[in-house]
Amino acid sequence: MSLTNRLMTDLKAAMKSHDKTALSVIRMLKSALMNKKIELGHELNSEEELQVVVSQMKQQKDSLAEFEKAQREDLVEDTKAQMQVLSQYMPQQLSEAEVQEIVQQTAAKIGATSKADFGKLMQAVMPQVKGKADGNKVNQMVKDLLQ
């Protein structure tokens, strides 16, 4: 089932159950997907849909950090609930051990051994873990490996 079809099904279910949080998140995600479709000028493939979902999750994480910094507990709770709904549309996240293994295998394959190879290694690793692992954690693992 495509993401768009899944969103329509979930939207109907959220309407029937009067789940305002899920309803707003699904509408936000549908809107973001439509905007991306208009921007690109064609139907989105699964990779582009994933990119939109990851982008929306990143925005929610950034908002959460700002709300926590401002000590706005009401907004923190709302944002966490929204992230919970949005996480249903994210791909299965890789464990730290799996990411570490990918980083090590890729480093061995391209021969990255020093800090000078950082950019080359990141460029090779990120497409493999895109949307499945936090970029900051991958960055830190690559730095630790190349020291």
Side-chain angles (χ1 to χ4, degrees):
M1 178 185 288
S2 76
L3 181 59
T4 306
N5 293 339
R6 183 173 169 208
L7 285 171
M8 285 305 295
T9 304
D10 292 351
L11 182 69
K12 290 175 188 174
M15 284 180 177
K16 287 179 182 176
S17 67
H18 302 287
D19 186 348
K20 291 181 181 181
T21 303
L23 200 56
S24 70
V25 170
I26 293 168
R27 285 179 174 157
M28 172 193 65
L29 190 53
K30 281 185 59 164
S31 174
L33 287 165
M34 183 58 71
N35 289 339
K36 188 68 169 181
K37 177 183 170 186
I38 291 169
E39 177 186 324
L40 296 176
H42 61 79
E43 292 294 323
L44 301 179
N45 60 34
S46 59
E47 178 72 23
E48 292 164 337
E49 288 176 342
L50 171 66
Q51 192 177 16
V52 171
V53 174
V54 169
S55 172
Q56 291 296 313
M57 183 60 90
K58 185 176 183 329
Q59 286 179 4
Q60 292 294 328
K61 285 180 182 178
D62 293 345
S63 296
L64 181 63
E66 290 297 317
F67 295 148
E68 286 175 340
K69 192 167 96 174
Q71 298 177 348
R72 292 290 310 268
E73 288 304 313
D74 56 330
L75 296 176
V76 167
E77 294 305 316
D78 288 345
T79 305
K80 284 182 180 178
Q82 291 173 358
M83 288 173 67
Q84 185 68 32
V85 173
L86 195 55
S87 69
Q88 297 170 14
Y89 305 102
M90 293 284 291
Q92 181 67 32
Q93 298 294 295
L94 296 171
S95 69
E96 282 195 38
E98 291 171 320
V99 175
Q100 188 70 39
E101 185 177 326
I102 290 170
V103 168
Q104 290 172 347
Q105 287 176 352
T106 306
K109 185 165 52 171
I110 66 171
T113 56
S114 68
K115 288 183 180 182
D117 298 324
F118 177 81
K120 185 167 58 170
L121 182 55
M122 282 297 288
Q123 191 173 20
V125 169
M126 286 311 289
Q128 297 177 54
V129 298
K130 186 154 185 86
K132 299 176 191 168
D134 181 29
N136 293 329
K137 289 181 182 177
V138 174
N139 185 315
Q140 190 59 48
M141 288 180 186
V142 169
K143 283 181 182 176
D144 292 346
L145 180 69
L146 296 178
Q147 286 188 5

